[in-house]
Amino acid sequence: MSGNKESSDGGWRKFMWNSEKGEFLGRTGCSWFKIFMFYLIFYGCLAGIFIGTIQALLLTLSNYKPTYQDRVAPPGLSHTPRSDKSEISFKMSDNSTFKKYVDSMNELLLKYDEDRQTAQGKYESCGENPDTYKEQGGLEEGSGQRTSCRFLRKWLGDCSGLTDNTYGFKEGKPCLIVKLNRIVFFRPKGPSNNSTLPEALQGKSYNNLIPVYCKNKRPEDASKIGEIKYFGFGGGFPLQYYPYYGKQLHPNYLQPLVAIQFTNLTIGEDLRIDCRVFGDNIAYSEKDRYMGRFDVKITVNS
């Protein structure tokens, strides 16, 4: 037994270092050098191929515009506050039930404060009436950062948070802030044919404006929603805020907003409301809740 153990220990030690042949772990120094050089060259070539592939890919990408825009097909329409399953439910008498909604609107509108839009060279006045696109060159012209049109939260009237810091929730008249998602160099087009618009919008002029309109989603809710007020640029998105040049060229960009206030919702009812933006190059999809439209369920309890 002891002889076998000594033989076993000696074999292990000899494998670790064989002084007779000058081998470490079964290989001579020359053998270890060759295998080290092989793997060094092998993995060096793999790294070179990987780096070269990435560099070739980067040459095909623009610093200013996404090559592929595979999110929501332009443009998407979103609203604040948002909640799980697009359901907004609260009690007028309990501030804690709508605090999260108020906080999200405060966060959105903070950058729209007038005193945050005074820096020269970053912001400029583009008028208080809808106007045509504000062209500031191409994406690749390298003329520096573009200026942003000012958009003041006071233009949102009763939904600005300046006169009512609960945005109507305390009185059972909740507000929604609506915006189009940012699409680099996208130019929305206003409706050219009024006959395609809802009856309430027909007969009005929408030059340089993309109107927003909300109504009951279910026929049985038609008499339960009451008057809907729109604040901003005539209830739509003015074209002078487009195109958007991206974060690198347009870091101070402010999206135009539309505020919607539901002033006479029936108390205690689950009301499903559908809102849409109307333009010639704006499509809708019932499969995508925010593609050119959204629907939201609002429940006001006393």
Side-chain angles (χ1 to χ4, degrees), residues 61-82:
L61 302 178
S62 169
N63 291 328
Y64 305 104
K65 184 178 181 180
T67 302
Y68 302 104
Q69 295 177 337
D70 56 356
R71 292 185 178 183
V72 178
L77 189 69
S78 62
H79 62 87
T80 300
R82 293 181 65 174

Side-chain angles (χ1 to χ4, degrees), residues 40-59:
L40 180 65
I41 295 172
F42 176 71
Y43 286 113
C45 290
L46 288 182
I49 293 172
F50 175 76
I51 294 172
T53 302
I54 295 298
Q55 290 299 320
L57 176 64
L58 291 177
L59 291 175

